[in-house]
């Protein structure tokens, strides 16, 4: 069976790759900075890598349902475009935060705005379906 949302599926795979990348960075950071599991504190760079991973996981948990609801009720193209912007913002956030905490804000803002757009479009699509608007 073919999906009616191949672009959204592609973005979802890229988001999964981003989450894998943040896990990998934390594992590598544990080794590089000598932070043995289960500790999540120690070297400041490791702590930033860990926060990037956790924050990305927290936001992906909210973003992925909105992404797919938007694809199902609005448009594959709109969902994938906003999902792509979210992904770019998260990568920008991750790279900036790993370098210095002050560099995370712009990427965070881009991703948060994309999430807001996905949420609004998804909600609008569901409401339109519920009230019978085509």
């Amino acid at each position: 069976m073919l999906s009616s949302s191949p672009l959204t599926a592609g973005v979802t795979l890229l988001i999964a790759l981003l989450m894998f990348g943040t896990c990998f960075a934390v594992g590598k950071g544990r080794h590089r900075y000598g932070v043995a599991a289960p500790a999540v504190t120690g070297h400041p760079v490791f702590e930033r890598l860990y926060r990037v991973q956790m924050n990305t996981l927290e936001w992906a948990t909210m973003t992925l349902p909105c992404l797919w609801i938007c694809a199902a009720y609005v448009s594959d193209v709109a969902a994938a475009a906003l999902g792509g912007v979210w992904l770019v913002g998260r990568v920008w956030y991750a790279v900036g935060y790993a370098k210095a905490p002050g560099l995370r804000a712009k990427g965070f803002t881009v991703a948060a705005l994309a999430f807001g757009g996905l949420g609004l479009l998804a909600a609008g699509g569901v409401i339109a379906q519920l009230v019978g608007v085509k």
Side-chain angles (χ1 to χ4, degrees), residues 11-80:
V11 169
T12 300
L13 289 171
L14 292 173
I15 290 170
L17 184 61
L18 171 65
M19 292 189 308
F20 173 79
T22 64
C23 291
F24 185 81
V26 168
K28 189 174 174 182
R30 280 191 183 283
H31 178 72
R32 178 178 291 155
Y33 301 109
V35 180
V40 294
T41 60
H43 194 280
V45 174
F46 169 78
E47 291 177 11
R48 291 196 305 267
L49 294 171
Y50 180 75
R51 281 308 312 146
V52 165
Q53 179 193 19
M54 290 296 102
N55 191 267
T56 299
L57 179 60
E58 293 159 1
W59 277 85
T61 301
M62 298 182 296
T63 300
L64 287 168
C66 292
L67 177 73
W68 279 96
I69 293 167
C70 182
Y73 288 91
V74 179
S75 155
D76 180 41
V77 172

Side-chain angles (χ1 to χ4, degrees), residues 80-126:
L82 284 169
V85 171
W86 183 87
L87 184 63
V88 167
R90 291 309 303 180
V91 169
W92 188 1
Y93 163 86
V95 170
Y97 201 175
K99 289 181 182 177
L103 297 177
R104 73 188 192 279
K106 289 180 182 177
F108 183 89
T109 301
V110 167
L113 290 171
F115 167 74
L118 279 169
L120 289 172
L121 279 178
V126 169

